Amino acid sequence: MDRTAVAKMGAVASASVCVLVGGVVLAQYIFTMKKKTGRKTKIIEMMPEFQKKTVHIKDPGRVEEIICGLIKGGAAKLQIITDFDMTLSRFSYNGKRCPTCHNIIDNSKLITEECRKKFFSFQLLQLKETYYAIEIDPALTIEEKYPYMVEWYNKSHALLIEQGLQKDKFAEIVRESDVMLKEGYENFFDKLSEHNIPVFIFSAGIGDILEEVIHQAGVYHSNVKVVSNFMDFDEHGILKGFKGELIHVYNKHDGALKNTEYFKQLKDNSNIILLGDSQGDLSMADGVANVEHILKIGYLNDKVDELLEKYMDSYDIVLVKDESLEVANSILQKIL
């Protein structure tokens, strides 16, 4: 073999190695630069996605350490634990609120006018308006909110059962709804699928609708597991109830502990990126026994002035009125 061929082979091999270990090299480079210069060079300073006004970080040093740990662990150690409504899906688009999984049904043609009036009557405390205000009230503790969330979900589900909803209509109502996934969702799901990274979607919404949304978006890949409130249908495909115990926004700790068998199968996946939009979502990883590094990313969609400080105290990264997955995708780009 002549020298030119050898040189070409060497160049190709070197390029492959660079691609393979690029993320680890970046983390090591940052560490070395800090030692040599004493300057606090941060990975996040090199990432334009972190420079947006929507990004709020209380402790950049801590975030840098976590991201370095995630990069060093690579794909082999990574798993994703995420909420769905208003986290993977949009809170609003062009100034208009986007629906949650429950709202998709509430707003559909499957709900009769009589039931629609019930949904907003004083007798049911105007379900969405009253209970949502309680859910995000900064003056109330989670313990104080808890019984109201149970009441809200039980009343909502009872009304849906009264309607005798047909399972075979769900694809149509999702298609006709205004639900939208966040910008960058294709890259998010496809990248994770490509590297076979486990994705655990833990939702207080309606699982049947959630699955239909991500199926129609073309991102319900084999690495995705959904835990949510799933409907129970009779032999004719008519809704007769809900399976299992109720999942609401503030009891995800209990649900996480009940999914410990799932997490045991992922005992080597000790690095976690957690995404949520409420204080209740912070407990979604409680079922993971061996956490090495966990990065908590929180979307703050409403009552920003009242809740920003609380979110920054609990989430590592807070994204204010951010309808994209750019930050998560930029981190994954470094890890994978």
Side-chain angles (χ1 to χ4, degrees):
M1 185 179 295
D2 61 27
R3 292 183 178 179
T4 303
V6 171
K8 286 183 178 178
M9 287 183 65
V12 170
S14 296
S16 300
V17 171
C18 285
V19 170
L20 181 63
V21 301
V24 176
V25 168
L26 175 60
Q28 290 174 340
Y29 168 77
I30 296 293
F31 179 74
T32 303
M33 286 296 292
K34 285 170 69 177
K35 284 187 69 175
K36 284 184 176 180
T37 66
R39 193 174 78 82
K40 292 184 178 180
T41 306
K42 294 183 175 65
I43 289 177
I44 57 178
E45 290 176 354
M46 299 180 176
M47 300 166 70
E49 295 84 1
F50 278 76
Q51 313 314 315
K52 300 191 322 182
K53 292 181 179 179
T54 58
V55 180
H56 297 258
I57 301 174
K58 181 175 182 177
D59 189 345
R62 171 180 161 78
V63 170
E64 179 192 6
E65 288 178 11
I66 296 172
I67 292 177
C68 281
L70 296 176
I71 291 172
K72 289 177 181 178
K77 285 192 171 186
L78 185 64
Q79 65 170 300
I80 308 296
I81 301 176
T82 179
D83 174 49
F84 184 76
D85 285 323
M86 313 298 115
T87 298
L88 295 180
S89 69
R90 290 177 184 253
F91 180 80
S92 66
Y93 181 70
N94 287 340
K96 181 182 177 183
R97 278 292 302 269
C98 292
T100 64
C101 290
H102 280 92
N103 297 154
I104 289 172
I105 294 181
D106 300 349
N107 300 336
S108 75
K109 298 173 184 175
L110 293 182
I111 303 298
T112 64
E113 190 59 33
E114 178 185 359
C115 185
R116 204 177 302 283
K117 288 176 181 177
K118 281 186 179 181
F119 259 88
F120 297 99
S121 70
F122 178 77
Q123 182 184 5
L124 291 181
L125 300 178
Q126 300 181 345
L127 288 179
K128 287 185 286 189
E129 287 87 348
T130 300
Y131 288 112
Y132 176 69
I134 293 171
E135 178 188 336
I136 64 171
D137 189 338
L140 297 176
T141 65
I142 288 177
E143 290 73 23
E144 290 171 325
K145 295 176 183 182
Y146 195 106
Y148 291 104
M149 296 302 102
V150 173
E151 189 175 281
W152 180 11
Y153 279 68
N154 283 337
K155 286 181 177 180
S156 181
H157 289 178
L159 284 169
L160 294 178
I161 294 168
E162 281 182 23
Q163 288 298 292
L165 301 178
Q166 298 171 265
K167 185 177 183 179
D168 61 5
K169 299 289 186 183
F170 285 1
E172 177 185 352
I173 68 169
V174 168
R175 271 195 302 272
E176 293 180 350
S177 75
D178 294 324
V179 67
M180 297 178 70
L181 295 179
K182 278 186 164 61
E183 183 181 347
Y185 75 88
E186 302 102 323
N187 186 26
F188 179 79
F189 279 101
D190 292 348
K191 189 85 170 175
L192 293 168
S193 174
E194 178 188 344
H195 293 272
N196 200 29
I197 307 300
V199 178
F200 185 79
I201 300 179
F202 198 177
S203 173
I206 297 177
D208 308 80
I209 297 296
L210 189 167
E211 289 188 328
E212 186 61 36
V213 171
I214 58 177
H215 171 72
Q216 290 189 16
V219 293
Y220 199 174
H221 303 307
S222 60
N223 62 315
V224 175
K225 177 180 175 63
V226 176
V227 172
S228 187
N229 297 301
F230 281 93
M231 294 176 164
D232 193 16
F233 299 92
D234 65 18
E235 64 273 18
H236 304 294
I238 304 299
L239 176 65
K240 65 176 184 178
F242 282 80
K243 300 175 183 177
E245 295 183 28
L246 174 69
I247 299 173
H248 60 77
V249 69
Y250 291 122
N251 72 344
K252 289 188 175 181
H253 165 80
D254 300 334
L257 296 181
K258 288 172 184 170
N259 282 278
T260 51
E261 285 304 315
Y262 167 83
F263 292 123
K264 281 180 183 176
Q265 296 171 20
L266 304 175
K267 59 181 175 23
D268 296 328
N269 300 74
S270 54
N271 288 345
I272 301 168
I273 296 177
L274 179 148
L275 299 101
D277 76 312
S278 78
Q279 296 292 304
D281 291 331
L282 291 161
S283 63
M284 292 190 296
D286 286 0
V288 183
N290 58 326
V291 177
E292 189 173 352
H293 302 285
I294 179 167
L295 182 69
K296 298 181 179 181
I297 302 174
Y299 286 90
L300 179 52
N301 301 305
D302 208 353
K303 290 193 177 292
V304 174
D305 292 339
E306 297 94 327
L307 292 171
L308 181 57
E309 184 177 354
K310 181 179 287 189
Y311 270 59
M312 290 183 69
D313 285 340
S314 50
Y315 282 101
D316 301 303
I317 301 171
V318 179
L319 304 176
V320 174
K321 294 186 179 294
D322 190 328
E323 300 294 349
S324 81
L325 288 161
E326 283 186 356
V327 169
N329 284 338
S330 69
I331 297 168
L332 292 175
Q333 185 66 35
K334 302 294 185 216
I335 300 171
L336 306 177

